[in-house]
Amino acid sequence: MFLNIKLLKNDQIMLEENNITYEKNDNIIHFKLENFDHYIDCTKKIFKRESDEFCFILDVENEKCSYKLKEIPGNFDIIVDDSNWIYEKNNLEIHYVIETEDEKSKIIINFIN
């Protein structure tokens, strides 16, 4: 299974990749992009980006965001000013604005079966 992804900031494409292999286990989707692991929990509406150094978690359903440096105990909570999750057919859009960026971020994923 493959997916196409676009990452946008203020509606400008920052990254676009096609035909990325992904795995789906129950409602959790996992793929690698730019040497980072990405997880999408379609049931809980959670997007997670992880490396050996950090973990970024965006909980769209509860409008919460946290950033964890793995070398330091504890999480840094980030205020979510706005978030939205749109999942239709084989397309997922995650829109969010977090306090530390002050930019509209958008993740657009098209799942190819």
Side-chain angles (χ1 to χ4, degrees):
M1 297 186 294
F2 299 95
L3 62 82
N4 300 332
I5 188 168
K6 289 182 190 174
L7 305 177
L8 298 92
K9 294 282 186 189
N10 288 331
D11 295 321
Q12 297 209 11
I13 296 173
M14 305 304 289
L15 176 69
E16 183 172 6
E17 294 286 334
N18 294 316
N19 297 316
I20 298 169
T21 302
Y22 76 92
E23 300 170 354
K24 186 171 183 181
N25 185 6
D26 293 324
N27 287 320
I28 308 292
I29 295 166
H30 171 250
F31 62 94
K32 285 195 174 278
L33 179 63
E34 294 189 318
N35 297 319
F36 298 105
D37 285 302
H38 292 76
Y39 301 90
I40 299 170
D41 185 326
C42 295
T43 303
K44 296 181 180 178
K45 298 181 180 176
I46 294 174
F47 173 80
K48 181 166 103 171
R49 182 177 189 181
E50 187 170 15
S51 73
D52 292 338
E53 292 86 31
F54 74 90
C55 182
F56 171 84
I57 300 172
L58 175 66
D59 180 341
V60 176
E61 178 96 3
N62 297 303
E63 291 197 327
K64 293 182 181 179
C65 184
S66 66
Y67 190 86
K68 176 176 176 44
L69 295 171
K70 292 186 176 179
E71 295 178 4
I72 302 170
N75 292 335
F76 299 100
D77 293 328
I78 302 169
I79 294 171
V80 177
D81 293 328
D82 187 30
S83 66
N84 195 11
W85 180 284
I86 304 165
Y87 189 58
E88 297 175 347
K89 297 185 182 181
N90 290 326
N91 298 302
L92 171 63
E93 288 191 24
I94 302 169
H95 304 244
Y96 64 96
V97 178
I98 56 176
E99 184 182 50
T100 56
E101 291 184 355
D102 287 333
E103 298 177 311
K104 293 186 300 182
S105 296
K106 189 185 299 184
I107 302 165
I108 301 173
I109 301 174
N110 175 254
F111 298 99
I112 304 164
N113 296 326

